Coordinates of all heavy atoms in Angstrom, one line a residue:
D304 N 59.8 -26.1 106.0 CA 60.4 -26.0 107.3 C 59.4 -25.7 108.4 O 59.3 -26.3 109.5 CB 61.6 -25.0 107.4 CG 62.7 -25.4 106.4 OD1 62.7 -26.5 106.0 OD2 63.5 -24.5 106.0
K305 N 58.6 -24.6 108.2 CA 57.6 -24.2 109.1 C 56.5 -25.2 109.4 O 56.1 -25.4 110.5 CB 57.1 -22.8 108.7 CG 58.1 -21.7 108.8 CD 57.5 -20.4 108.2 CE 58.5 -19.3 108.3 NZ 59.9 -19.6 107.7
L306 N 56.1 -25.9 108.3 CA 55.1 -26.9 108.4 C 55.6 -28.1 109.2 O 54.9 -28.6 110.1 CB 54.6 -27.4 107.0 CG 53.8 -26.4 106.2 CD1 53.6 -27.0 104.8 CD2 52.5 -26.1 106.9
M307 N 56.8 -28.5 109.0 CA 57.4 -29.6 109.7 C 57.6 -29.3 111.2 O 57.2 -30.1 112.1 CB 58.8 -30.0 109.1 CG 59.5 -31.1 109.7 SD 61.1 -31.4 109.0 CE 61.9 -29.8 109.4
V308 N 58.1 -28.1 111.5 CA 58.4 -27.8 112.9 C 57.1 -27.6 113.7 O 56.9 -28.1 114.8 CB 59.2 -26.5 113.0 CG1 59.3 -26.0 114.4 CG2 60.6 -26.8 112.5
S309 N 56.1 -26.9 113.0 CA 54.8 -26.6 113.7 C 54.1 -27.9 114.0 O 53.4 -28.1 115.0 CB 54.0 -25.7 112.9 OG 53.7 -26.2 111.6
T310 N 54.1 -28.9 113.0 CA 53.4 -30.2 113.2 C 54.0 -30.9 114.4 O 53.3 -31.5 115.2 CB 53.5 -31.0 111.9 OG1 52.9 -30.3 110.8 CG2 52.8 -32.3 112.1
A311 N 55.4 -31.0 114.4 CA 56.0 -31.7 115.6 C 55.7 -31.0 116.9 O 55.5 -31.7 117.9 CB 57.5 -31.8 115.3
L312 N 55.7 -29.7 117.0 CA 55.4 -29.0 118.2 C 54.0 -29.2 118.7 O 53.8 -29.4 119.9 CB 55.7 -27.5 118.0 CG 57.2 -27.1 117.9 CD1 57.3 -25.6 117.6 CD2 58.0 -27.5 119.2
I313 N 53.1 -29.3 117.8 CA 51.7 -29.5 118.2 C 51.5 -30.9 118.7 O 50.8 -31.2 119.7 CB 50.8 -29.3 116.9 CG1 50.7 -27.8 116.6 CG2 49.3 -29.8 117.2 CD1 50.0 -27.6 115.3
V314 N 52.2 -31.9 118.1 CA 52.1 -33.3 118.6 C 52.7 -33.4 120.0 O 52.2 -34.0 120.9 CB 52.8 -34.3 117.6 CG1 52.9 -35.7 118.2 CG2 52.0 -34.3 116.3
L315 N 53.9 -32.8 120.2 CA 54.5 -32.8 121.5 C 53.8 -32.1 122.6 O 53.8 -32.4 123.7 CB 56.0 -32.3 121.4 CG 56.9 -33.2 120.6 CD1 58.2 -32.4 120.3 CD2 57.2 -34.5 121.3
S316 N 53.1 -31.0 122.2 CA 52.3 -30.2 123.1 C 51.1 -31.1 123.6 O 50.8 -31.0 124.8 CB 51.8 -28.9 122.5 OG 52.9 -28.1 122.1
G317 N 50.5 -31.8 122.7 CA 49.5 -32.7 123.2 C 50.0 -33.8 124.1 O 49.2 -34.3 124.9
R318 N 51.2 -34.2 124.0 CA 51.7 -35.3 124.8 C 52.2 -34.8 126.2 O 51.9 -35.4 127.2 CB 52.9 -35.9 124.1 CG 53.6 -37.1 124.9 CD 54.9 -37.6 124.3 NE 54.6 -38.1 122.9 CZ 55.6 -38.5 122.1 NH1 56.9 -38.6 122.6 NH2 55.4 -39.0 120.9
Y319 N 52.8 -33.6 126.2 CA 53.4 -33.1 127.5 C 52.7 -32.0 128.1 O 53.1 -31.5 129.2 CB 54.9 -32.8 127.3 CG 55.8 -34.0 126.9 CD1 56.1 -34.2 125.6 CD2 56.2 -34.9 127.9 CE1 56.9 -35.3 125.3 CE2 56.9 -36.0 127.6 CZ 57.3 -36.2 126.3 OH 58.1 -37.3 126.0
G320 N 51.7 -31.4 127.4 CA 51.0 -30.3 128.0 C 51.7 -29.0 127.9 O 52.4 -28.7 127.0
G321 N 51.4 -28.1 129.0 CA 51.8 -26.7 128.9 C 53.3 -26.5 128.9 O 53.8 -25.5 128.4
I322 N 54.1 -27.5 129.5 CA 55.5 -27.3 129.6 C 56.2 -27.3 128.2 O 57.2 -26.7 128.0 CB 56.2 -28.4 130.4 CG1 57.6 -28.0 130.8 CG2 56.1 -29.7 129.7 CD1 58.2 -28.9 131.9
V323 N 55.5 -27.9 127.2 CA 55.9 -27.8 125.8 C 55.1 -26.8 125.0 O 55.6 -26.2 124.1 CB 55.9 -29.2 125.2 CG1 56.2 -29.2 123.7 CG2 56.9 -30.2 125.9
A324 N 53.8 -26.7 125.4 CA 52.9 -25.8 124.6 C 53.3 -24.4 124.7 O 53.2 -23.6 123.7 CB 51.5 -26.0 125.1
I325 N 53.8 -23.9 125.9 CA 54.2 -22.5 126.0 C 55.3 -22.1 125.1 O 55.2 -21.2 124.3 CB 54.5 -22.2 127.5 CG1 53.2 -22.3 128.3 CG2 55.1 -20.8 127.6 CD1 53.4 -22.1 129.8
P326 N 56.5 -22.8 125.2 CA 57.6 -22.4 124.2 C 57.2 -22.6 122.8 O 57.6 -21.9 121.9 CB 58.7 -23.3 124.7 CG 58.1 -24.4 125.4 CD 56.9 -23.9 126.1
S327 N 56.3 -23.6 122.5 CA 55.9 -23.9 121.2 C 55.1 -22.7 120.6 O 55.2 -22.3 119.5 CB 55.1 -25.2 121.1 OG 55.8 -26.3 121.5
S328 N 54.2 -22.2 121.5 CA 53.4 -21.0 121.1 C 54.3 -19.8 120.8 O 54.0 -19.1 119.8 CB 52.4 -20.7 122.2 OG 51.5 -21.8 122.5
V329 N 55.3 -19.6 121.6 CA 56.2 -18.5 121.3 C 56.9 -18.7 120.0 O 57.0 -17.7 119.2 CB 57.3 -18.4 122.5 CG1 58.3 -17.3 122.1 CG2 56.6 -18.0 123.8
I330 N 57.4 -19.9 119.7 CA 58.1 -20.1 118.5 C 57.2 -20.0 117.3 O 57.6 -19.3 116.3 CB 58.7 -21.6 118.5 CG1 59.8 -21.7 119.6 CG2 59.3 -22.0 117.2 CD1 60.3 -23.1 119.8
M331 N 56.0 -20.5 117.3 CA 55.1 -20.4 116.2 C 54.6 -19.0 116.0 O 54.4 -18.5 114.8 CB 53.9 -21.4 116.4 CG 54.4 -22.8 116.4 SD 53.0 -24.0 116.8 CE 51.9 -23.7 115.5
A332 N 54.4 -18.2 117.1 CA 53.9 -16.9 116.9 C 55.0 -16.0 116.3 O 54.8 -15.2 115.4 CB 53.6 -16.3 118.3
R333 N 56.3 -16.3 116.6 CA 57.4 -15.5 116.0 C 57.5 -15.8 114.6 O 57.7 -14.9 113.7 CB 58.7 -15.9 116.8 CG 59.9 -15.2 116.3 CD 60.6 -16.0 115.3 NE 61.9 -15.5 114.9 CZ 62.6 -15.9 113.9 NH1 62.2 -16.9 113.1 NH2 63.8 -15.4 113.6
E334 N 57.3 -17.1 114.2 CA 57.4 -17.5 112.8 C 56.3 -16.8 111.9 O 56.6 -16.3 110.8 CB 57.3 -19.0 112.6 CG 58.4 -19.8 113.2 CD 59.8 -19.5 112.5 OE1 59.7 -19.1 111.4 OE2 60.8 -19.7 113.2
V335 N 55.1 -16.7 112.5 CA 54.0 -16.0 111.7 C 54.3 -14.6 111.6 O 54.2 -14.0 110.5 CB 52.7 -16.3 112.4 CG1 51.6 -15.5 111.8 CG2 52.3 -17.8 112.4
G336 N 54.8 -13.9 112.7 CA 55.0 -12.5 112.6 C 56.2 -12.1 111.7 O 56.1 -11.2 110.9
V337 N 57.3 -12.9 111.8 CA 58.4 -12.5 110.9 C 58.1 -12.8 109.5 O 58.5 -12.1 108.6 CB 59.7 -13.3 111.4 CG1 60.8 -13.2 110.4 CG2 60.1 -12.9 112.8
S338 N 57.4 -13.9 109.2 CA 57.0 -14.2 107.8 C 56.1 -13.0 107.2 O 56.3 -12.6 106.1 CB 56.2 -15.5 107.7 OG 57.1 -16.6 108.1
A339 N 55.2 -12.6 108.0 CA 54.4 -11.4 107.6 C 55.2 -10.2 107.4 O 55.0 -9.4 106.4 CB 53.2 -11.2 108.6
L340 N 56.2 -9.9 108.3 CA 57.0 -8.8 108.2 C 57.9 -8.8 106.9 O 58.0 -7.8 106.2 CB 57.9 -8.7 109.4 CG 59.0 -7.5 109.4 CD1 58.2 -6.2 109.4 CD2 59.9 -7.7 110.5
R341 N 58.4 -10.0 106.6 CA 59.2 -10.1 105.4 C 58.4 -9.9 104.1 O 58.9 -9.3 103.1 CB 59.9 -11.5 105.3 CG 61.1 -11.6 106.3 CD 61.6 -13.0 106.4 NE 62.8 -13.1 107.3 CZ 63.2 -14.2 107.8 NH1 62.5 -15.4 107.6 NH2 64.2 -14.2 108.6
E342 N 57.2 -10.4 104.1 CA 56.3 -10.2 102.9 C 56.0 -8.8 102.8 O 56.0 -8.2 101.6 CB 55.1 -11.1 103.1 CG 54.1 -11.0 101.9 CD 52.9 -11.8 102.1 OE1 52.8 -12.5 103.1 OE2 52.0 -11.7 101.2
W343 N 55.7 -8.1 103.8 CA 55.4 -6.7 103.8 C 56.6 -5.8 103.3 O 56.5 -4.9 102.5 CB 54.9 -6.2 105.2 CG 54.4 -4.8 105.2 CD1 53.1 -4.3 104.8 CD2 55.1 -3.6 105.6 NE1 53.0 -3.0 104.9 CE2 54.2 -2.5 105.4 CE3 56.4 -3.4 106.1 CZ2 54.6 -1.2 105.8 CZ3 56.7 -2.1 106.4 CH2 55.9 -1.0 106.3
M344 N 57.8 -6.2 103.8 CA 59.0 -5.4 103.4 C 59.3 -5.7 102.0 O 59.9 -4.9 101.3 CB 60.1 -5.8 104.4 CG 60.0 -5.4 105.8 SD 60.1 -3.6 106.0 CE 61.9 -3.4 105.8
A345 N 59.1 -6.9 101.5 CA 59.4 -7.3 100.1 C 58.5 -6.4 99.2 O 58.9 -6.1 98.1 CB 59.1 -8.8 99.9

Side-chain angles (χ1 to χ4, degrees):
D304 300 341
K305 292 173 176 55
L306 290 176
M307 179 183 63
V308 170
S309 60
T310 301
L312 288 176
I313 292 172
V314 170
L315 290 173
S316 298
R318 180 188 301 178
Y319 294 102
I322 196 171
V323 173
I325 291 175
S327 298
S328 301
V329 173
I330 294 172
M331 295 173 64
R333 181 263 188 193
E334 294 296 336
V335 173
V337 172
S338 297
L340 177 65
R341 286 175 177 158
E342 182 179 357
W343 186 81
M344 293 291 285

